[in-house]
Amino acid sequence: MPPRKKRKGLLLTHATDRKPLPPKGWVILGGVVLFVLLVIGWMRYKNENQWTYVQRFGIRLPLRYGIHGIDVSHHNARIQWDKLKAAKAENVRMDFVYIKATEGATHLDRQFDRNWREAKRVGIRRGAYHFYNPRVYSDQQAAHFIKRVVMEPGDLPPVLDLEIEAGKPAEIIIKGVANWLTIVEKHYGIRPVIYTNEHFYKKFIAGNFDEYPLWLAGYSRTQIDDLSENSNVLLWQHSEKGYVDGIKGFVDFNVFLHDDETWQRVGSPE
């Protein structure tokens, strides 16, 4: 019994000797709790788009969205289209491909004819894009694209790729882009899409071409909620370092930011 009393006394003495947490300690403790709650909330928000690393494609994909695709040019060399068509993981497959067709007034991508033909053969929805050169007359560039690209029902809208200034002032670039878009829309009977990055969007597109559908490139972004809220933004190119069967090396990955019903309405008229 004595040892037990002694032990009890020691415990009582230890308990009564405890000092209350000073105000500064409570502030620190509150800060830690708040930080943990913020981290938890941020992680939940960050994954709202269901970013998931998909090993087969070598990148994270926003699996919240169901329609994924790539864009290709001669830089991707000779594509094995049957392998590309069969590639699938995490219910993601290549639903569409945008293919570089022309640049300036004379350049035809050396893989365009084959890529355009093969995409149709294997049943991947296709679209063609033109790399815009501000140093070249826009009407000549439009004529070059129209001559080379024969669209069929179900094809995706033509795209103007704007990503260089070539030393030209903004007003010249805006005027030329407007002319190209007008000529191409009149020929195909469908409004073209503008592809650009966020810097060029703010500098040349915003306020000048607000009625046109957009395809925006941004590799450092982790959130796309602000893009998806804009009905004009159809596509987001979220990575340039993906992999897919049938293509050697890196390839650009894109996602369609709207639902299946909208996807069916996007494209050349029947």
Side-chain angles (χ1 to χ4, degrees):
M1 292 296 295
R4 292 182 182 177
K5 290 182 179 179
K6 184 178 181 181
R7 188 177 296 116
K8 184 177 180 181
L10 287 173
L11 289 173
L12 289 173
T13 302
H14 179 72
T16 56
D17 285 346
R18 289 178 179 173
K19 296 181 179 180
L21 193 66
K24 184 177 181 181
W26 284 110
V27 171
I28 295 173
L29 180 59
V32 171
V33 172
L34 179 61
F35 175 77
V36 171
L37 292 175
L38 288 174
V39 169
I40 293 174
W42 179 79
M43 290 300 293
R44 288 178 178 175
Y45 174 68
K46 180 181 179 182
N47 205 35
E48 182 177 351
N49 291 302
Q50 300 174 34
W51 286 100
T52 304
Y53 179 77
V54 181
Q55 184 173 6
R56 186 161 191 173
F57 300 127
I59 55 172
R60 295 180 309 128
L61 293 173
L63 297 185
R64 169 186 177 185
Y65 298 94
I67 299 171
H68 302 260
I70 58 174
D71 56 277
V72 299
S73 70
H74 70 276
H75 293 294
N76 301 107
R78 190 178 180 88
I79 296 172
Q80 299 181 57
W81 285 89
D82 291 293
K83 288 186 176 181
L84 178 60
K85 173 65 176 179
K88 185 177 180 181
E90 299 289 344
N91 292 320
V92 173
R93 61 182 181 180
M94 297 302 102
D95 299 293
F96 67 91
V97 56
Y98 260 107
I99 302 167
K100 183 178 181 180
T102 52
E103 179 177 337
T106 59
H107 177 75
L108 173 69
D109 188 277
R110 60 178 177 266
Q111 290 291 333
F112 173 71
D113 289 337
R114 180 178 183 273
N115 287 337
W116 191 246
R117 181 180 65 252
E118 287 291 283
K120 178 183 178 181
R121 180 184 66 81
V122 301
I124 298 178
R125 198 171 182 192
R126 65 185 184 176
Y129 73 89
H130 173 80
F131 189 92
Y132 188 78
N133 185 343
R135 291 189 294 264
V136 181
Y137 289 120
S138 56
D139 56 346
Q140 295 179 7
Q141 296 192 61
H144 181 43
F145 182 83
I146 290 169
K147 179 180 178 181
R148 296 296 188 174
V149 179
V150 178
M151 292 182 60
E152 299 180 7
D155 288 342
L156 294 169
V159 167
L160 181 141
D161 177 352
L162 179 63
E163 53 184 295
I164 63 169
E165 299 182 57
K168 295 295 182 179
E171 60 268 23
I172 296 298
I173 294 175
I174 293 169
K175 182 179 179 180
V177 166
N179 190 46
W180 190 98
L181 293 171
T182 300
I183 294 171
V184 170
E185 180 176 357
K186 182 178 180 180
H187 176 80
Y188 292 108
I190 184 171
R191 181 159 289 176
V193 175
I194 301 173
Y195 167 92
T196 194
N197 56 49
E198 293 181 85
H199 171 69
F200 272 59
Y201 168 75
K202 294 176 181 177
K203 187 171 184 178
F204 300 110
I205 307 304
N208 297 305
F209 303 101
D210 293 337
E211 71 275 21
Y212 283 87
L214 300 173
W215 173 11
L216 296 182
Y219 310 134
S220 62
R221 303 177 61 122
T222 56
Q223 295 300 321
I224 52 181
D225 297 326
D226 57 333
L227 296 182
S228 61
E229 290 173 359
N230 186 336
S231 60
N232 275 9
V233 182
L234 298 183
L235 300 164
W236 179 36
Q237 186 182 88
H238 58 82
S239 177
E240 83 282 31
K241 293 185 177 181
Y243 289 98
V244 65
D245 294 346
I247 299 179
K248 295 180 180 179
F250 293 135
V251 65
D252 300 332
F253 267 66
N254 307 272
V255 64
F256 181 71
L257 296 175
H258 303 277
D259 57 28
D260 290 346
E261 183 178 348
T262 305
W263 174 248
Q264 297 305 319
R265 296 197 303 267
V266 173
S268 60
E270 297 293 336

